[in-house]
Amino acid sequence: MVVQNSADAGDVRVGVQLEPFLHQVGGHLSVMKYDEHTVCKPLVSREQSFYESLPLAMKQFTPQYKGTVTVHLWKDSTGHLSLVANPLKENREPFKVSTESAAVAIWQTLQQTTGSSGSACALAQWPHAQLACTSKESPAKALLRSEPQLNTPDFSLVEDTNRNQVEKKSFNPWGLHCHQAHLTRLCSEYPENKRHRFLLLENVVSEYTHPCVLDLKMGTRQHGDDASEEKKARHMQKCAQSTSACLGVRICGMQVYQTSKKHFLCKDKYYGRKLSVEGFRQALCQFLHNGTHLRRELLEPILRQLQALLSVIRSQSSYRFYSSSLLIIYDGQEAPERAPGSPHPREAPQAAHGSSPDGLTKVDVRMIDFAHTTYKGSWNDHTTYDGPDPGYIFGLENLIRILQDIQEGE
């Protein structure tokens, strides 16, 4: 949807209405869909600097950086709140978001369900989520602190607090949770006409029909060098009580398409924090399982990319990827079987859907979230490190080992 904003007299801007990104499975910052191939997220200077000075060897393992855009709050005639981006100068034709967009419809339903009466900036309560807000924290922080139990007719988590299966829908609710918290924070902490800067990044799932996404928090340390003592202690405790300490990796969220039931099975970061080493291995198996069988053909291409990434990380001296995540992505829609005598994908003019040029099933392995990444010469850093990131390497090595064990049937 193309909208016009005339907050200032004589200042009429044409903008792109941002959609909630329905394939966000982890993190706490809201990721928004800008167009079919582009997402955007709140700009953090350290992360922007990382993308702008990205080593060439790492580019294949990170989303393409597309610049920045200015974003502001906008309320339509019915009172629905959304974010609008002013298009890039080189993008003269703004992307038109259909009013029938599923993401927009879901978000508007959420606002109607939670109520929009009273102040437009009032916190829209999640059903069954008790947000006990202290006087020293904002409603947005209380929302982020809560474990969302999204048991409404329109969206729900797949498991309740007792790990019993409940409603199953065809999208992951985590992105809406983050979007709700972000809008609430913008409303409560900033003037309505405040302009915010967002990063524009490649939508790494745009080529997939039913993107299965695993978000892994990598490394044995999650706090940045600039973290307060309180935040440092909190993150150290989370690592010590999860597989981050013993494996250097923990699950931050995932969605996996169940072909027979045509819905995504979803897990969030709270689930990932509670896993034992064996639980982590079982969760990896679940990520590769479509509800009827284990997708064993995915293991070789995933392992190849992880091993290539490990080689790249080992060559990056001084880099520390604190609190960054690693995405593993594949299509829940399996490629059709090749008929006898038909050309092999590498011999065909164009690889079949779901296949990479080398004939293996298409997968993506991408590093994301670099707000706390540090390296020699990085933005406003006073601490430098020697050699590659040992915690990240430890996590990658364990992840590869466990996937190899699954591949060998152990």
Side-chain angles (χ1 to χ4, degrees), residues 64-297:
Q64 179 190 356
Y65 172 60
K66 299 186 176 185
T68 65
V69 70
T70 301
V71 172
H72 62 276
L73 273 171
W74 177 69
K75 184 169 65 174
D76 67 15
S77 58
T78 62
H80 290 135
L81 281 173
S82 59
L83 290 170
V84 172
N86 296 330
L88 299 174
K89 291 181 179 178
E90 58 267 27
N91 183 13
R92 296 296 182 181
E93 294 296 326
F95 175 72
K96 296 182 179 180
V97 179
S98 168
T99 54
E100 300 302 317
S101 161
V104 171
I106 291 166
W107 175 240
Q108 291 181 350
T109 301
L110 169 63
Q111 293 192 70
Q112 291 168 349
T113 302
T114 53
S116 57
S117 59
S119 170
C121 297
L123 174 63
Q125 300 283 342
W126 288 102
H128 310 296
Q130 299 301 315
L131 307 183
C133 214
T134 69
S135 59
K136 295 183 179 180
E137 68 179 348
S138 67
K141 288 183 180 178
L143 181 60
L144 286 174
R145 179 171 52 74
S146 69
E147 292 196 23
Q149 304 300 320
L150 311 184
N151 300 319
T152 74
D154 300 289
F155 43 85
S156 70
L157 290 177
V158 172
E159 292 185 351
D160 63 16
T161 53
N162 296 318
R163 300 185 67 179
N164 298 315
Q165 288 200 343
V166 289
E167 284 189 22
K168 309 173 188 68
K169 297 299 179 183
S170 60
F171 69 95
N172 194 314
W174 188 258
L176 292 177
H177 167 67
C178 296
H179 183 56
Q180 172 105 6
H182 188 217
L183 279 187
T184 301
R185 184 175 66 85
L186 293 182
C187 282
S188 62
E189 298 180 11
Y190 297 96
E192 187 173 340
N193 61 353
K194 169 75 174 175
R195 297 301 194 254
H196 307 270
R197 299 294 292 173
F198 275 49
L199 293 176
L200 290 170
L201 299 168
E202 173 191 3
N203 176 3
V204 295
V205 306
S206 63
E207 296 182 7
Y208 297 92
T209 304
H210 299 299
C212 299
V213 183
L214 176 65
D215 186 326
L216 299 168
K217 188 71 74 173
M218 300 300 297
T220 53
R221 169 180 159 176
Q222 301 302 328
H223 60 277
D225 290 329
D226 57 347
S228 66
E229 288 301 314
E230 185 273 333
K231 187 173 184 180
K232 178 180 176 180
R234 191 170 70 247
H235 281 284
M236 289 176 68
Q237 183 180 31
K238 288 177 185 176
C239 288
Q241 296 176 347
S242 69
T243 55
S244 291
C246 55
L247 294 177
V249 55
R250 74 171 182 260
I251 289 176
C252 200
M254 75 175 184
Q255 64 179 37
V256 54
Y257 192 68
Q258 306 294 280
T259 54
S260 60
K261 299 179 180 178
K262 294 181 170 49
H263 69 77
F264 284 105
L265 175 69
C266 304
K267 305 286 187 180
D268 61 23
K269 64 181 181 181
Y270 304 105
Y271 164 83
R273 287 179 192 169
K274 299 173 183 177
L275 293 175
S276 64
V277 172
E278 176 58 25
F280 179 83
R281 180 189 177 281
Q282 291 176 4
L284 290 182
C285 289
Q286 186 173 46
F287 174 65
L288 300 170
H289 202 287
N290 65 6
T292 60
H293 65 274
L294 187 69
R295 297 277 304 274
R296 289 191 172 275
E297 78 280 6

Side-chain angles (χ1 to χ4, degrees), residues 339-359:
S342 63
H344 191 277
R346 68 178 66 174
E347 300 167 359
Q350 185 175 1
H353 172 78
S355 296
S356 60
D358 59 7

